[in-house]
Amino acid sequence: MMQKPVFSFFKSYWAIGILLILPILSAWVSSRPVKEKDKPKADKPNIIFLLTDDHRWDALGVMGNKVIQTPNLDALANSGVLFRKAYVTTSICCVSRASIMSGQYESRHKINDFSTDFSADALSKTYPILLKNAGYRIGFIGKLGIDVKNQPDSLFDYWSSPKEGQPQYELVNKSGKIVHHTDSVNTDIRTFLNQFAHKEPFCLSVSFKAPHELDGNPPKYPVQERFKDLYKNANIPDPVTADPKYWESFPDFFRTEKNIGRERWVPLLSTPELRRETTKDYYRLITGVDEVVGNIQAQLRELNIDDNTIIIFMGDNGFSLGEHGLEGKWFGFEESIRVPMIISGKPLAKKVKGIKSDKIALNIDIAPTILSLAGVKIPESMQGQDLIKMLAKNKRGRNDFFYEHTFMGSPRLPKVEGVVSQDFKYMKYIEHGYEELYDTSRDRHETANLAKEAAFDKKLAEMRKRYLELREAAK
């Protein structure tokens, strides 16, 4: 809470003198000719960035999912731009969130675990602090996801983030009542908007825990009471690659019960019944987030600031729900690295309304896009690009990108790097020299590894070369 200023009492004749002078000063100021440099700058948009945790690309109605209910996010996408090929450059929360804030690959920002945070200099070049220096009010709500020992809360105008790596789903509020994390985030958003709506411009960054599992033995998906019966009778189809033969096709270093992706698969996805109920809970948590999105839009209208507010939505990484016999993210499969991404808002209506883009968009593009929307210069240190400019007809966009995941290592999480293009995917498990090559234009479920097929020797050589080029460029 901001403190009220303390005023000293002057002697009465000083007070009377000031009261007499003020009208004269006011008349003089109002009669002065307004110089160009004194004119107020054009309104800058408010920006709300919403981030879900472990949200795979196809867990939205607008992305073709016939089961999940996300009406508010679908409407947001239909009124703005939906990036149907959005990806993260590293599929784990601490790294991806650092990439989002800095606009950099892991190879450059060097945050590759849960105990490393931004240096003071690196933090000063993240999008929230650059916006603050440009006159924006900045707020952060939810899970930070980067080292929590040195939270940058003092730099923000509003901060509501627990000092723990993974917040709980069930929180106890000041009244002793248990509140779901998503509902708590909703309350904080409402508080922020009421406080800063008319102190524009502002940038609010919101990070949900949903739909991330609650870690434990076994892991769980605590959902809000009002959503527990949602999807009760829904038909959840089994993934193509849930067939055991796909897990059995992995090499020995990967196909081990010590692999975290397999370890977490056992209690949540190892039977058709478990897989269906876990998927329903996962969807329920996302529908809870969708409800908050609807509340935000309603409040923006109530406050009469919807005309000048842009909303950006994405997931911090994807999530396997049994594909390839795995649970989680980390590896280079489409379920792991591909995420939902939406940019919408009335200030952009003429540029992006109703666009469904198949250009490759990345998490490292968020920071430069936000800065560009705010009219703030993009630092040369950022490796992403302005997505709105990329959508221009004369902008082709990127053909491919570098993927890296080097946290932990074998046998728990084998390290992997590679290249993802519009039509092919090359992944190399760098501790073992094992390669994967998928023709994603024809094999969207990544069922056939072509790396040892003689017919694809030329393509494999091409992707190997491109991998080395991109790996060097990412530094």
Side-chain angles (χ1 to χ4, degrees), residues 248-268:
E248 294 298 329
S249 70
F250 285 122
D252 290 345
F253 74 84
F254 192 95
R255 186 173 38 83
T256 167
E257 299 306 311
K258 294 181 179 179
N259 185 318
I260 293 179
R262 187 63 171 182
E263 182 180 78
R264 295 187 180 183
W265 171 88
V266 173
L268 293 172

Side-chain angles (χ1 to χ4, degrees), residues 127-144:
Y127 80 80
I129 308 307
L130 290 168
L131 288 181
K132 181 182 178 70
N133 293 337
Y136 269 71
R137 301 294 189 97
I138 60 172
F140 185 88
I141 295 169
K143 171 187 168 181
L144 180 61

Side-chain angles (χ1 to χ4, degrees), residues 46-50 137-141 158 185-206 292-306 308-311:
N46 302 312
I47 300 168
I48 300 176
F49 174 60
L50 305 174
R137 301 294 189 97
I138 60 172
F140 185 88
I141 295 169
Y158 185 94
V185 167
N186 182 73
T187 299
D188 281 331
I189 293 171
R190 188 161 189 84
T191 301
F192 174 90
L193 291 178
N194 283 333
Q195 185 174 344
F196 292 97
H198 301 293
K199 298 176 183 176
E200 300 172 305
F202 64 75
C203 178
L204 173 62
S205 301
V206 179
V292 177
V293 173
N295 293 341
I296 291 171
Q297 292 174 297
Q299 189 178 4
L300 293 176
R301 291 191 294 270
E302 290 170 8
L303 295 168
N304 199 29
I305 58 172
D306 57 315
N308 195 38
T309 302
I310 295 167
I311 298 177

Side-chain angles (χ1 to χ4, degrees), residues 146-163:
I146 306 170
D147 178 47
V148 296
K149 294 188 295 296
N150 301 300
Q151 286 189 346
D153 49 331
S154 62
L155 299 175
F156 284 71
D157 299 290
Y158 185 94
W159 183 271
S160 181
S161 178
K163 290 192 174 183

Side-chain angles (χ1 to χ4, degrees), residues 95-151:
V95 181
S96 182
R97 289 158 189 261
S99 293
I100 288 168
M101 291 182 69
S102 67
Q104 297 176 343
Y105 281 97
E106 173 195 321
S107 291
R108 181 167 293 185
H109 63 62
K110 302 296 184 183
I111 295 178
N112 60 359
D113 57 32
F114 292 91
S115 60
T116 304
D117 63 355
F118 285 113
S119 67
D121 180 63
L123 186 61
S124 72
K125 295 182 179 67
T126 59
Y127 80 80
I129 308 307
L130 290 168
L131 288 181
K132 181 182 178 70
N133 293 337
Y136 269 71
R137 301 294 189 97
I138 60 172
F140 185 88
I141 295 169
K143 171 187 168 181
L144 180 61
I146 306 170
D147 178 47
V148 296
K149 294 188 295 296
N150 301 300
Q151 286 189 346

